[in-house]
Amino acid sequence: MDDVIIIGGSFAGLAAALQLGRARRKVTVLDTGLPRNRFAGHSHGLLGHDHKPPLDILAEARQQLARYPTIRLVNARADSVSGAVDDFSVLTGDGASLGARRLILSYGVADQIPDVPGFAESWGTSIVPCPYCDGFEVAGQHWGLVWSGPQSHNQVRLFHDWTDRLTLFADGHDIPPDIRADLAHRNIPVVEGRITEIARHGGHSAIVKLDTGRDVAVDILFAHPRNKPSASLHESLGLDTVDTPLGIALKVDERRETSMPGIYSAGDLANPLMPSVTTASWQGAMAGIFAQQSMLV
């Protein structure tokens, strides 16, 4: 039996494994090799790895973990979880049954890309969600923002640190009059109509085509499609969740423990705020440390 099974081996999961491996705890990491940011050419804001391709960072991390004999990395999907603290059982997609005293759920979320031609092809390059991840590289340029709800008004204020050239796309949504008044006061134009297509012209640029017949060019387009957990294990376990404007996140306490004793969570799956590789990494490290401390005798 393992001390800990980590389900999800991206930034959060590997950071947790590192702490546990250094504590000489026996760990198995299950991963399908599909991190959320695999579409991005570079990852930003992670100390020591700024502007590196995210898949390269993860490959280097896995190589570094190889020096710890108690860590095992397995390319497999976790199909089901059962049991309780000190006696969890995980069934993998290839039929293996694994046991562990603790679990860390770090299988992340999947973005629900809208059915708009060109959107999926532009995701992670011309269309991005996070200014902390990509804003510096396009600072001072013409940004676009797709309205997704009241949280978009906060984004407008946030973006001011990077650019004073912003166009807001209503995309068929009703924007409250008081917010429209504030946008006008900030000299931010609102483009009406639904987005029908995203056309790319190399690098960080996009042509937003609208059902009104209008085309609007921006240097980069920020959008926040809804997301959902990449697996449903938390549902079968009955874990508590919190609602966010873009989806659900697992509810965790200050020790990264979920509503079920012995199960911890980290990364985008348990981050109701703005996700990034930096937050995923420190949350994963803390989940690993607290899982290890919970097993002390």
Side-chain angles (χ1 to χ4, degrees), residues 99-292:
R101 298 179 60 194
R102 302 289 187 271
L103 298 178
I104 296 177
L105 305 183
S106 52
Y107 47 79
V109 300
D111 296 294
Q112 303 301 286
I113 302 301
D115 188 20
V116 173
F119 197 107
E121 294 80 0
S122 301
W123 185 243
T125 53
S126 299
I127 307 176
V128 296
C130 172
Y132 295 101
C133 303
D134 296 288
F136 181 85
E137 283 66 33
V138 289
Q141 299 184 35
H142 184 190
W143 291 17
L145 172 64
V146 181
W147 180 269
S148 59
Q151 68 276 3
S152 295
H153 192 206
N154 293 329
Q155 294 289 320
V156 167
R157 296 194 289 266
L158 180 66
F159 287 178
H160 182 72
D161 276 355
W162 286 273
T163 187
D164 57 3
R165 300 169 59 202
L166 177 64
T167 295
L168 184 67
F169 295 91
D171 197 26
H173 294 95
D174 292 327
I175 301 176
D178 59 326
I179 294 181
R180 285 184 177 272
D182 181 70
L183 295 172
H185 176 73
R186 297 173 185 271
N187 295 316
I188 297 174
V190 177
V191 177
E192 305 295 345
R194 285 198 170 275
I195 297 173
T196 59
E197 184 181 352
I198 304 294
R200 296 176 61 189
H201 287 277
H204 279 164
S205 62
I207 306 297
V208 182
K209 296 180 177 293
L210 303 151
D211 61 4
T212 60
R214 183 180 178 186
D215 295 350
V216 180
V218 294
D219 293 310
I220 194 164
L221 184 64
F222 283 81
H224 302 91
R226 290 187 63 81
N227 57 61
K228 67 177 183 179
S230 296
S232 58
L233 299 175
H234 60 285
E235 295 178 357
S236 61
L237 291 166
L239 302 183
D240 291 347
T241 60
V242 293
D243 292 324
T244 79
L246 298 178
I248 67 166
L250 294 194
K251 185 177 181 179
V252 296
D253 62 16
E254 66 279 1
R255 296 173 62 85
R256 310 302 307 173
E257 192 168 23
T258 69
S259 57
M260 180 176 287
I263 300 181
Y264 299 77
S265 187
D268 293 355
L269 180 64
N271 185 1
L273 303 176
M274 185 174 293
S276 72
V277 295
T278 301
T279 56
S281 297
W282 74 256
Q283 288 177 2
M286 297 310 294
I289 290 171
F290 287 132
Q292 180 251 343

Side-chain angles (χ1 to χ4, degrees), residues 40-123:
H42 298 87
S43 181
H44 300 110
L46 184 62
L47 187 64
H49 297 285
D50 190 48
H51 202 64
K52 287 184 180 179
L55 295 182
D56 288 357
I57 300 174
L58 292 173
E60 183 178 348
R62 286 191 289 268
Q63 291 174 359
Q64 292 174 355
L65 291 179
R67 68 186 288 253
Y68 297 100
T70 60
I71 299 176
R72 183 169 66 117
L73 305 179
V74 179
N75 182 18
R77 182 185 68 253
D79 276 354
S80 65
V81 176
S82 59
V85 63
D86 286 326
D87 188 23
F88 290 107
S89 179
V90 178
L91 183 65
T92 69
D94 55 11
S97 181
L98 309 175
R101 298 179 60 194
R102 302 289 187 271
L103 298 178
I104 296 177
L105 305 183
S106 52
Y107 47 79
V109 300
D111 296 294
Q112 303 301 286
I113 302 301
D115 188 20
V116 173
F119 197 107
E121 294 80 0
S122 301
W123 185 243

